[in-house]
Amino acid sequence: MPLTRRDFAKQSAYTGAGVALVGTVDVLATAPGALAAEGVDERGHRPSLGYGPLVPDPKGLLALPAGFSYRVITRTGETTLESGESTPSNHDGTATFEGPRGTTLLVNNHELSGPRSKWAHPVPLVEGLVYDPAASGGCTVVEVSRHGDHVSERVGIAGTATNCAGGRTPWGTWLTCEETEDKAGENGMTKDHGYVFEVDPHDRPRGHRGAAEAEGAHAQRGPKPIKALGRYAHEAVVVDPRRGHFYLTEDADEPNGLFYRWVPPRGFTPGRRALRHLADDAGVLQAPQCYDSGGRFVDDLSRARKVGTVYGVDWIDVPDRDAQRVPVRKQFQDHQVTRARKLEGMWWADGGAYIVASFARDESPVAHDGQVWFYNPRRRTLTLKVLLGVNQDPDKDGAFDGPDNITVSPYGGLIIAEDGDGIQHLFGATDRGETYPIARNELNIGTAEKPSYSEFTGVVFSPDGDTLYANIQVPGIMLAITGPWRRQPYRPHGHGHDRAQEQNS
């Protein structure tokens, strides 16, 4: 039953909270596995925010706070796959899984678009793992030993295109997303693209698995697009483990993209191999229609100017999810759906989905340099958690812009990978929306006169929470960061100030 505009307005009136229906409820402070919130230390002092200033790296790769260190796990042109080829380039979305004998498995997207001749190090075409032999992208599976002293890497899927982000499933697989709308015959492709594919990190090549693994691996061979989730410029996906709904983001413009909900068909039981057997038109793909506490339709998420803004959400069915004639986002009139520019990373935690809108400029009603929203499926609301004002000087260190991939930290709050202009960071955001630096990319891929720094991608913690993995997309470097992680301080209302509100008031 949809949550009507009138019902949402009544709820807001009853609470007396206006657009802050859920207020600034400290959702992040209750992240699964988070340590107990700290108020003051044993001396009565309030802990400082973050981990201190970043220390320049003498190797010119990664600046970190004092006490932290990093290891290079894979690097394009230097590390190799088990089959002998170079690690593919353009690392992107990543997830971690518990592997055998205490190892950590990481599935790593490689965002490579167009024909294979365009790239020096495309994802190798491995028999049984190829969707379109003309496409360059795909995923690799990286296995890191318990102490990080041994690393192996193999192909998980090949022949896909522009594998940007994706999402980890509750049943332990990876959904890799194609951020393209290329069809067969376009851009050198021989098959339609713009789909989601499932990758099982435990699917070992022949000769490297037992009988039980072999049976499961055989079922995963022959990549099949999950057409029920639609064909568009996919960015990320999360799965509601309770309801079985999928939420997906679209990174597109002209017009701005959408985030989607897929509702499975009655009787569908999710799990390993289940998605392979879905009919192409199974379930219902839907787009959002948001409205404020006064019942007014919200055409674009950029209109939210204050952390704590809450919108009610209804869902509208997508007419043609495979978009053979008209792209999905163009199948709606502007008054029907709520759009946003650069919808990017997602993460499921705290009973809902965290959703990133990377920036907004002239194509949107209001300019900003990043938003993080939280969708609560029980309340059917979107709450703005982080808002970054327009960064006036992105080449100057200290400010953040362009959030992209995201994860919820086991120590509370969010960890965000920056894909903005100028200097690139990993940064944290607290339950109050305050931000602090974690790392800075110091690898200059430009010139001394015009320096250029690639974006961070694939930020994710190891299953035990001790290691933060992240990628530098170009040339393609996976990093493991360790150090004195600790719970970030909870700051009650009225203490300190909110940087995002300060810049957007």
Side-chain angles (χ1 to χ4, degrees), residues 207-230:
H208 292 81
R209 57 181 185 264
E213 288 177 295
E215 181 181 355
H218 180 74
Q220 293 290 334
R221 297 287 158 165
K224 180 182 178 183
I226 309 169
K227 293 188 175 182
L229 301 181

Side-chain angles (χ1 to χ4, degrees), residues 71 112 157 188 198 290 304 429 453 468:
R71 301 190 313 277
L112 299 163
I157 189 173
E198 187 172 30
C290 299
Y453 302 92
L468 179 67

Side-chain angles (χ1 to χ4, degrees), residues 63-217:
L64 294 168
F68 283 77
S69 62
Y70 70 87
R71 301 190 313 277
V72 173
I73 302 299
T74 66
R75 183 166 183 156
T76 303
E78 295 186 11
T79 57
T80 58
L81 306 179
E82 291 178 345
S83 52
E85 299 96 340
S86 168
T87 293
S89 63
N90 293 58
H91 297 30
D92 212 294
T94 307
T96 58
F97 305 83
E98 292 184 359
R101 300 175 298 280
T103 62
T104 295
L105 301 177
L106 299 100
V107 183
N108 185 201
N109 278 0
H110 297 275
E111 190 179 17
L112 299 163
S113 62
R116 300 181 64 79
S117 59
K118 179 180 174 181
W119 303 98
H121 301 293
V123 177
L125 300 178
V126 175
E127 183 181 358
L129 298 178
V130 180
Y131 169 64
D132 180 352
S136 307
C139 300
T140 53
V141 180
V142 180
E143 184 171 328
V144 182
S145 64
R146 184 192 304 271
H147 302 295
D149 54 353
H150 177 73
V151 176
S152 64
E153 185 177 16
R154 63 184 185 273
V155 173
I157 189 173
T160 51
T162 322
N163 297 70
C164 197
R168 192 186 194 280
T169 68
W171 49 92
T173 61
W174 170 249
L175 298 176
T176 183
C177 295
E178 293 187 306
E179 189 191 332
T180 181
E181 295 174 309
D182 286 344
K183 297 172 70 175
E186 298 176 354
N187 207 16
M189 299 298 98
T190 64
K191 292 185 177 181
D192 289 353
H193 291 267
Y195 295 115
V196 177
F197 295 79
E198 187 172 30
V199 177
D200 189 338
H202 299 279
D203 180 355
R204 292 288 300 177
R206 292 179 181 177
H208 292 81
R209 57 181 185 264
E213 288 177 295
E215 181 181 355

Side-chain angles (χ1 to χ4, degrees), residues 288-348:
Q289 184 182 78
C290 299
Y291 41 91
D292 65 19
S293 61
R296 295 175 290 269
F297 169 69
V298 179
D299 62 337
D300 195 283
L301 294 181
S302 69
R303 292 197 181 277
R305 296 172 179 261
K306 186 177 181 181
V307 170
T309 296
V310 179
Y311 294 143
V313 183
D314 268 342
W315 295 96
I316 311 299
D317 292 356
V318 170
D320 173 21
R321 74 183 83 182
D322 204 44
Q324 287 299 309
R325 295 187 177 182
V326 179
V328 172
R329 67 186 182 283
K330 295 183 180 181
Q331 295 174 23
F332 298 97
Q333 299 298 314
D334 286 343
H335 67 274
Q336 293 179 293
V337 291
T338 301
R339 304 182 183 276
R341 180 73 175 98
K342 291 291 289 181
L343 286 163
E344 297 275 3
M346 305 179 76
W347 195 267
W348 183 272

